[in-house]
Amino acid sequence: MKLDILTLPDKRLKTVAQPVEIFDNELKSLVKNMLETMYDAPGIGLAATQVDVHKQVVVIDVSEEKNQPLCLINAKIIKKGGQQISEEGCLSVPEIYAKVKRAEFIEVEAQNEQGEYFTLEADELLAICIQHELDHLIGIVFLDHLSPLKRKMALKKLEKDAR
Ligand code: K2U
Ligand code: ZN
C-alpha cells in the first residue's frame, strides 16, 4: 500500500535510522510498500526515513523498464572514488533542484530482505542514488550539501510554494 512521504520542513526527516536486526515478514511488507510508494511517486529511490520508518532500509530502481528493484539494508559504503556533479531532486523536497557533488563510483556492503550479505559496485546514476538514499538514513537531505546561501535561496522557494 502507498505510504505518505514526509516533506521539508518536517523534522522527522532529520532522524538517524537504526540498524535492522530482525528480517521478518514485517520487514518484507515495509520493502514492498516502499517500492510501491517509490514507483507511484515516481522516483528512482526511497529511504525508510522518508516514510517515517527509522530503520536502515532503502529501495532503488534506476532501470528504464522499472523492473529492477534493489533493496539495501544496513548498507555501508566501503570504497569510493572520483567525483561527479549532478542536478538532484528529492521526493521530500518538492520542486527544488540543485547541483550536488557525489563520489563517481562506490562499493557498498549491505543485506537483502533475507538478511544475506552482498556487495555492490556502482557508478553514475546508481552511485548518486545510493549516496542520496543513504544520506536520508542519517537525517541528511541533498540541500544540506549546498552552501548556506544556496540552501537559503532554495528554502525561500519552498516557503513561497508553501504559502
Ligand atoms: O530520495 C528521494 O527523494 C528520491 C530521489 C532519488 C534521487 C535524487 C537525485 C538523484 C538520484 C536519485 C528522487 O526524487 S527520485 C526522482 C528522480 C527521478 C529520475 C531522476 C532523478 C530523480
Ligand atoms: Zn531524497
Side-chain angles (χ1 to χ4, degrees):
M1 107 226 149
K2 215 167 90 53
L3 304 170
D4 292 333
I5 296 178
L6 300 178
T7 53
L8 283 190
D10 197 315
K11 288 253 175 294
R12 288 173 290 181
L13 284 165
K14 293 187 179 307
T15 310
V16 174
Q18 296 305 311
V20 170
E21 260 121 32
I22 317 276
F23 292 78
D24 57 6
N25 286 337
E26 192 189 318
L27 176 69
K28 281 189 177 50
S29 65
L30 168 66
V31 169
K32 188 171 169 299
N33 292 334
M34 283 176 64
L35 279 166
E36 193 178 321
T37 303
M38 179 190 76
Y39 288 125
D40 175 78
I44 56 174
L46 190 70
T49 309
Q50 295 179 274
V51 291
D52 201 18
V53 173
H54 303 291
K55 289 184 182 157
Q56 295 176 17
V57 180
V58 305
V59 293
I60 288 173
D61 187 342
V62 295
S63 70
E64 292 298 315
E65 295 75 34
K66 299 284 155 235
N67 57 0
Q68 283 167 39
L70 189 60
C71 174
L72 300 175
I73 296 174
N74 301 334
K76 303 251 171 307
I77 294 178
I78 53 175
K79 264 189 216 134
K80 60 179 173 183
Q83 262 186 13
Q84 57 181 322
I85 297 178
S86 69
E87 185 88 359
E88 295 193 12
C90 181
L91 298 173
S92 297
V93 186
E95 319 277 314
I96 294 185
Y97 301 89
K99 284 192 179 4
V100 178
K101 190 162 56 177
R102 301 264 188 201
E104 186 181 8
F105 51 84
I106 56 175
E107 189 170 331
V108 181
E109 187 177 85
Q111 288 170 271
N112 61 20
E113 290 163 80
Q114 287 70 34
E116 293 149 351
Y117 284 90
F118 65 96
T119 52
L120 174 75
E121 291 181 357
D123 63 358
E124 303 200 339
L125 183 58
L126 180 57
I128 293 169
C129 188
I130 292 171
Q131 292 172 80
H132 178 109
E133 300 313 333
L134 294 188
D135 268 357
H136 276 302
L137 299 184
I138 52 173
I140 292 174
V141 293
F142 76 107
L143 295 183
D144 298 329
H145 293 290
L146 304 185
S147 68
L149 180 68
K150 282 214 182 81
R151 181 163 58 245
K152 201 158 71 95
M153 281 156 49
L155 287 172
K156 204 185 287 300
K157 187 181 174 319
L158 196 71
E159 277 146 31
K160 192 168 70 58
D161 295 350
R163 271 202 301 271

